[in-house]
Amino acid sequence: MLRNSGRPSVETSADPDVLASTTAKTTLLQGKRRLIMAALVVTAALTTACTGAAPPSPPPAPVPHRMIVSGSVAGLVEAGLPQSILDDANNPSTLLLVQHVYTNSHLPEGAPAFRFRSAAALSDALSADEVPDSVHWLLLDLEAWSFTPERDQRDPIGALNRAQDAAHRHGKSVIFAPAINLMNVLEPGLSDDALYQAFIDQLVTPGAGIADGFEIQSQRTEATRHATSFVTAAVHAANAANPAGAPVLAGVSTNPNGRQVTADDMVAVHDAAKAAGATGYWLNVPGGGEECPDCGEPRYRVAVEFLKKISTSPTP
């Protein structure tokens, strides 16, 4: 017969045995398909477990060789920093301390890094999504001053643990930079050899064993009898505490705590640290302000002289 569509139609009989056979075959086929899919899933899981295959992780950040406040670079250039030294530093192994991410016109390939003076400030910034993906290294600068909470001053290692836990949850790494003056809180009354040894025992060894990187604030000892002996012992202790090879930096300054030193005084600390196995240095060119009221004008020419002197034997 013809339907209204004009297309031929074939009438079929509804044979119960045929229908049952067709249904059974369809059910069997669907079951086989499910078994095949399940086998594929199990095979993929076993392959991943056996080979350790996983989505590729981002490449590790370059090991820092030098660190400086980004805003100081222009002053160094104006003071006569040679282009060859700028070129040598223009790479991601140079950490540029910034308050917000921007491209430094003199060191465009430098890596931005954020500095924090308390564990809570570091954790809060990460929680508030205020640390961009381009920032990998976070500097935890704890000192016996008004900018570091008393809790962190009395337990710097605990503060480091809190900061690093927060950083790792967000895929960041921490450079721990405890100041020597924290010993005035932890063990008041120490001086000279006892002070520096206590700092190594109570902060360098445990801190370097935990932190992703460690910075020794050795600038305090410039132009003193402890200038080379302290940083040598501290670098050795830091490397021994972290045999995996976490970066260790040594601090140098043009005017530590307001004292005026020479470029040669800075070189003495730098070279002793390098010989002991330091990864690099943190160059401080402080100016008078709330963090250093006695520092006066930044001494960029002294910093340039220092950089020229060490450029003949670049930091590894």
Side-chain angles (χ1 to χ4, degrees):
M1 65 183 284
L2 295 177
R3 301 212 183 256
N4 295 334
S5 63
R7 295 176 182 173
S9 172
V10 178
E11 292 185 353
T12 58
S13 60
D15 189 329
D17 293 334
V18 172
L19 289 175
S21 176
T22 302
T23 301
K25 289 180 180 179
T26 301
T27 301
L28 180 60
L29 181 59
Q30 290 174 342
K32 287 182 178 179
R33 286 175 177 170
R34 291 192 188 98
L35 287 174
I36 292 170
M37 291 300 296
L40 290 173
V41 170
V42 171
T43 300
L46 288 174
T47 301
T48 299
C50 293
T51 64
S57 57
V63 173
H65 288 167
R66 59 192 68 81
M67 183 165 59
I68 187 171
V69 173
S70 184
S72 297
V73 179
L76 295 174
V77 172
E78 291 176 7
L81 185 67
Q83 185 63 43
S84 59
I85 296 179
L86 273 176
D87 292 341
D88 182 59
N90 189 28
N91 59 70
S93 289
T94 296
L95 299 187
L96 299 172
L97 297 173
V98 295
Q99 293 181 331
H100 63 276
V101 173
Y102 68 95
T103 299
N104 188 300
S105 60
H106 299 291
L107 295 173
E109 299 302 320
F114 282 4
R115 172 179 172 240
F116 298 94
R117 298 176 291 191
S118 72
L122 184 151
S123 180
D124 290 347
L126 289 168
S127 297
D129 201 24
E130 295 173 351
V131 182
D133 291 342
S134 60
V135 174
H136 178 81
W137 289 105
L138 308 177
L139 179 69
L140 183 63
D141 180 8
L142 303 184
E143 307 194 22
W145 58 4
S146 60
F147 308 107
T148 296
E150 184 176 338
R151 179 191 183 191
D152 289 5
Q153 293 184 38
R154 293 190 176 281
D155 184 13
I157 301 302
L160 168 61
N161 276 313
R162 293 192 299 276
Q164 192 150 272
D165 285 347
H168 288 180
R169 287 197 301 271
H170 290 81
K172 311 295 184 183
S173 297
V174 173
I175 296 176
F176 186 38
I180 296 171
N181 67 7
L182 287 171
M183 295 311 303
N184 296 335
V185 177
L186 298 175
E187 199 166 342
L190 297 179
S191 61
D192 291 336
D193 295 342
L195 171 70
Y196 293 113
Q197 188 58 54
F199 177 79
I200 290 173
D201 293 340
Q202 297 184 37
L203 288 174
V204 176
T205 296
I210 299 170
D212 302 305
F214 196 91
E215 195 275 336
I216 301 161
Q217 296 206 29
S218 46
Q219 66 271 18
R220 170 188 171 128
T221 68
E222 289 172 1
T224 74
R225 69 181 183 89
H226 300 285
T228 58
S229 60
F230 165 69
V231 75
T232 298
V235 171
H236 284 159
N239 284 331
N242 197 324
V248 176
L249 306 178
V252 292
S253 174
T254 57
N255 42 336
N257 299 323
R259 290 189 300 113
Q260 292 198 356
V261 298
T262 68
D264 285 335
D265 293 327
M266 300 168 66
V267 170
V269 171
H270 168 273
D271 286 355
K274 181 180 177 181
T279 306
Y281 59 90
W282 177 9
L283 174 58
N284 294 271
V285 192
E290 59 179 3
E291 291 190 359
C292 188
D294 299 325
C295 280
E297 291 298 317
R299 304 177 71 215
Y300 291 117
R301 292 188 183 279
V302 175
V304 169
E305 186 180 354
F306 161 75
L307 291 170
K308 287 180 178 179
K309 286 177 178 291
I310 67 169
S311 66
T312 55
S313 54
T315 304

